[in-house]
Amino acid sequence: MKILLLVTSFNSVTQAIHTKLIDSNHIVSVCFAIEEKQTLKEIEEFDPDLILCPFLKSYISSIIYDRYPVFIFHPGPRGDRGPNSLEHALKSHTKKWGLVVFQANKEYDGGNIYAQESFDVRNTYKASIYRKEIVRASLNALDTLLENIKNDNFVEQILNPIHKKLTKEDKTINWTIDTTQEIIEKVNLCDSFPGLLDDILDLPCYLYGVHKEEKLKGKPKEILAKRDGAICLGTVDAALWISHLKEPNGFKLPSTYVLKEKLKGIKEERLPLIFDKSYKTFYELSVDKKDNVTYLHFNFHNGAMNTAQCIRLKYAIEYIKTQCDVLVLMGGEDFFSNGIHLNILEDSKKQGEDGWANINAMNDVVHAILYASEVVTIASFCANAGAGGFFMGLACDYVVGKEGIVLNPHYKTLGLSGSEYHTYSLAKRVRKDVADKLLNDCLPISITEGKNMGIVNEVFSHNKYLESLHSFAISKYDEEFLWDKEEFLEENTQMIEVLKEEELKIMHSEFWDKESKFHNLRYEFVNKISPLQTPSRLRIEMIKDYKNA
């Protein structure tokens, strides 16, 4: 079928649906619903058999749903109607929630339901549920939806009243009476959009990334410490960490970057390089050990890695590889990694210098992985990966992933040619023409397609992912493999390093030249500047068939 994705943006759910439809050999194009005239024009040019809306914040014109079958993915169960459904799920402390796909009509969120899924609600923040449970439910619902459309099989929506908007009180912290848990729940309710508005040291800002603290204590809202960009604040009964802040009309940054000199005299409360998770606090690096396998978690916010984080991760890898036989890179809770930290570079007064330091620090991490001849290394894509974060994973001996994961193996949407040794690691796995398509077409691929292409070694099911991963990790330890790896690296180090240096030669001007496309594209990305039309790479005439490459 010719299927159009009518969306507000090309977000995680949209990319997951896009890749699954492509894998199923449908003809897929994307249209950003920016304004009615542009939207109608792009729809008419593609003339789809079906329109799907996995992420659409605006109303659909009757001109569209009267002419085409249109189906909307709604992040709530049957009977739930209205915006901000996940906020209501979290506010109500429900243990079960769901997703429905209904046909668009004149009744707001009232169309017939052609697919529905349910899931358990984790105790976490709103965006994490969206990126995991909602994405997974959407992918599961897609097969049911297409089958039920074919057979015209549906159930009627329950026309409950449209839920009320959450009140200002629901999203406001009263530091004098709210407990630590109540504050955590309020921040989670609004994370990551729009964030919870408060003021810290008389600076109005939105709060993100809340973590409970069990050791430090202080007066309500007193800043007790800072750590790796986060700040610790006292509460009426304990303390908590806030990792990121955003000033109104600004963009999200680590808390210490926003507060700057206001934090003069606040102690840096350090942890060991790798935290043992013996108490609740804010940390980014941790390990789990089982048999001869060590799992390294690096939970960097939104998968972005600044220079300091890269340095700590490199040191962690260099230490851990002396303590185990198999090292598995697990990435973070919501993202494996997305490469260099664009928001911090945008905030920098020395963008060229700091960008250059960041990419070289990323390369140092990749170097530590690539030359870890003492251990078998495995990248575990159990969350989405993109740009330099994806190519960092490719430095491992093996790459595995969880079904439903989306990979973005490219850099050029931000005006970068990229480094992270990608001209070596990608060439090891695919032919040059396939590598060039991935890098130039700038489209996401599913983890399953990654395996078909030879980029990924194995894909495991969601339900038994960790068990399958561990079995795989144990099976790959082989002393002869390590001897061969060490010999290969000794013989080919110069070739590998020459490729990396060539990458950096090209990237040098991208960071240092004030007229570089990177600076403008980074500004638009960080400040979430909406495009005036759908990016051409997402429209049908730009979509290439990798399977026939």
Side-chain angles (χ1 to χ4, degrees):
M1 279 195 293
K2 288 174 65 180
I3 300 177
L4 181 73
L5 302 182
L6 179 60
V7 296
T8 298
S9 70
F10 201 50
N11 73 344
S12 56
V13 170
T14 306
Q15 291 186 38
I17 295 293
H18 181 277
T19 56
K20 184 165 184 175
L21 290 171
I22 292 290
D23 290 351
S24 301
N25 295 313
H26 294 288
I27 302 169
V28 187
S29 190
V30 178
C31 173
F32 283 14
I34 299 166
E35 54 89 21
E36 187 169 316
K37 184 177 179 181
Q38 159 266 335
T39 301
L40 291 173
K41 180 175 181 292
E42 290 186 23
I43 292 173
E44 288 171 3
E45 288 174 351
F46 184 57
D47 191 26
D49 301 315
L50 178 67
I51 297 176
L52 302 181
C53 305
F55 175 63
L56 185 65
K57 296 169 92 172
S58 57
Y59 290 103
I60 298 176
S61 167
S62 60
I63 299 172
I64 299 171
Y65 62 69
D66 285 344
R67 192 176 305 175
Y68 302 96
V70 179
F71 292 86
I72 297 171
F73 289 66
H74 175 76
R78 185 183 181 199
D80 177 77
R81 301 174 65 212
N84 308 121
S85 294
L86 286 182
E87 292 182 7
H88 286 270
L90 292 174
K91 179 65 179 169
S92 67
H93 296 98
T94 182
K95 301 299 181 185
K96 286 280 187 182
W97 199 243
L99 172 137
V100 297
V101 187
F102 54 75
Q103 186 162 13
N105 62 15
K106 64 181 180 181
E107 191 76 52
Y108 181 42
D109 287 357
N112 293 327
I113 295 171
Y114 280 71
Q116 53 186 319
E117 293 285 328
S118 63
F119 55 84
D120 295 330
V121 179
R122 285 180 298 125
N123 182 22
T124 187
Y125 61 103
K126 178 176 66 175
S128 185
I129 293 174
Y130 187 86
R131 291 166 183 153
K132 289 194 165 185
E133 281 79 1
I134 292 297
V135 167
R136 207 155 46 237
S138 299
L139 290 172
N140 291 339
L142 183 59
D143 292 329
T144 306
L145 171 67
L146 296 178
E147 185 64 26
N148 285 342
I149 289 173
K150 189 190 305 180
N151 299 321
D152 199 28
N153 183 22
F154 61 85
V155 296
E156 293 183 355
Q157 171 69 295
I158 300 171
L159 297 178
N160 292 331
I162 294 170
H163 52 233
K164 296 178 181 178
K165 289 185 177 180
L166 295 181
T167 65
K168 183 179 180 182
E169 183 180 349
D170 293 325
K171 300 180 178 184
T172 301
I173 298 172
N174 185 334
W175 292 89
T176 61
I177 61 172
D178 285 350
T179 65
T180 303
Q181 186 57 37
E182 288 170 336
I183 295 172
I184 288 172
E185 289 176 2
K186 287 181 177 181
V187 175
N188 283 344
L189 196 65
C190 306
D191 194 347
S192 66
F193 182 84
L196 185 144
L197 184 61
D198 200 271
D199 65 90
I200 305 294
L201 298 177
D202 299 322
L203 182 69
C205 49
Y206 293 92
L207 279 53
Y208 308 90
V210 62
H211 302 262
K212 189 173 184 178
E213 167 61 37
E214 285 188 333
K215 286 194 172 181
L216 300 175
K217 285 183 170 38
K219 297 176 184 177
K221 217 175 183 180
E222 176 189 2
I223 297 185
L224 308 175
K226 57 185 178 178
R227 175 189 300 146
D228 298 330
I231 55 170
C232 184
L233 297 106
T235 64
V236 292
D237 60 345
L240 52 78
W241 293 85
I242 298 292
S243 70
H244 285 70
L245 300 172
K246 180 172 79 73
E247 294 182 70
N249 302 315
F251 51 85
K252 192 189 300 184
L253 286 164
S255 299
T256 58
Y257 282 71
V258 174
L259 297 174
K260 296 185 173 70
E261 66 276 357
K262 290 176 178 285
L263 295 174
K264 187 176 181 180
I266 301 296
K267 180 185 176 183
E268 180 81 13
E269 186 73 23
R270 299 190 182 277
L271 288 175
L273 177 63
I274 299 166
F275 182 54
D276 62 6
K277 298 184 284 188
S278 57
Y279 63 96
K280 291 182 179 179
T281 189
F282 166 71
Y283 61 92
E284 294 176 320
L285 300 181
S286 64
V287 299
D288 295 312
K289 297 179 180 180
K290 186 177 180 182
D291 302 318
N292 62 338
V293 183
T294 295
Y295 298 89
L296 173 58
H297 302 264
F298 38 101
N299 194 26
F300 301 133
H301 190 80
N302 285 348
M305 296 168 58
N306 64 34
T307 301
Q309 289 167 326
C310 289
I311 292 170
R312 285 190 282 117
L313 181 57
K314 179 195 74 167
Y315 285 146
I317 292 168
E318 290 177 342
Y319 168 71
I320 292 168
K321 72 182 183 182
T322 68
Q323 307 293 311
C324 63
D325 294 327
V326 181
L327 170 59
V328 183
L329 302 184
M330 297 294 289
E333 180 70 20
D334 290 338
F335 297 94
F336 177 82
S337 174
N338 286 316
I340 63 175
H341 205 304
L342 300 174
N343 287 38
I344 285 181
L345 296 189
E346 184 61 30
D347 181 62
S348 172
K349 304 299 185 206
K350 303 176 292 180
Q351 293 176 343
E353 182 177 334
D354 288 344
W356 190 244
N358 201 168
I359 192 62
N360 278 280
M362 277 292 298
N363 281 350
D364 289 344
V365 175
V366 176
H367 184 278
I369 299 166
L370 200 57
Y371 292 99
S373 58
E374 310 95 322
V375 293
V376 176
T377 55
I378 301 171
S380 168
F381 288 146
C382 48
N384 292 357
F390 166 79
F391 290 108
M392 178 179 69
L394 256 59
C396 290
D397 301 321
Y398 300 98
V399 177
V400 301
K402 184 188 291 185
E403 62 181 355
I405 292 305
V406 172
L407 307 174
N408 274 283
H410 54 82
Y411 302 92
K412 289 188 176 180
T413 53
L414 282 161
L416 294 174
S417 56
S419 190
E420 289 92 10
Y421 290 80
H422 77 275
T423 52
Y424 165 69
S425 60
L426 189 57
K428 284 202 315 183
R429 290 173 167 82
V430 299
R431 298 193 318 265
K432 186 179 185 304
D433 58 330
V434 178
D436 288 344
K437 281 176 180 274
L438 289 169
L439 292 166
N440 293 326
D441 290 351
C442 299
L443 292 171
I445 62 170
S446 70
I447 194 81
T448 303
E449 182 62 7
K451 182 182 178 185
N452 294 338
M453 298 170 72
I455 295 172
V456 175
N457 297 98
E458 292 291 346
V459 176
F460 302 127
S461 70
H462 163 74
N463 292 332
K464 293 187 176 181
Y465 181 75
L466 292 178
E467 296 94 323
S468 300
L469 172 62
H470 189 65
S471 297
F472 180 87
I474 290 175
S475 73
K476 291 305 175 185
Y477 179 71
D478 177 14
E479 288 187 357
E480 189 171 339
F481 171 83
L482 291 177
W483 293 335
D484 291 342
K485 176 181 175 181
E486 184 176 15
E487 184 178 349
F488 176 85
L489 290 171
E490 287 176 358
E491 293 175 355
N492 291 278
T493 295
Q494 184 177 356
M495 176 270 292
I496 295 169
E497 293 302 310
V498 165
L499 289 172
K500 184 258 292 187
E501 291 302 323
E502 288 298 321
E503 294 167 2
L504 290 175
K505 280 182 184 177
I506 298 170
M507 290 203 82
H508 188 272
S509 62
E510 294 168 351
F511 285 112
W512 290 96
D513 187 344
K514 292 182 179 180
E515 302 302 317
S516 166
K517 289 181 182 178
F518 172 56
H519 300 306
N520 184 58
L521 291 171
R522 184 192 63 239
Y523 171 84
E524 292 178 352
F525 176 84
V526 167
N527 289 281
K528 303 186 186 302
I529 308 269
S530 298
L532 299 177
Q533 60 184 12
T534 307
S536 59
R537 66 190 174 89
L538 302 179
R539 298 184 65 183
I540 189 62
E541 63 268 23
M542 295 299 294
I543 295 176
K544 306 291 192 298
D545 184 4
Y546 294 120
K547 295 176 183 178
N548 294 328

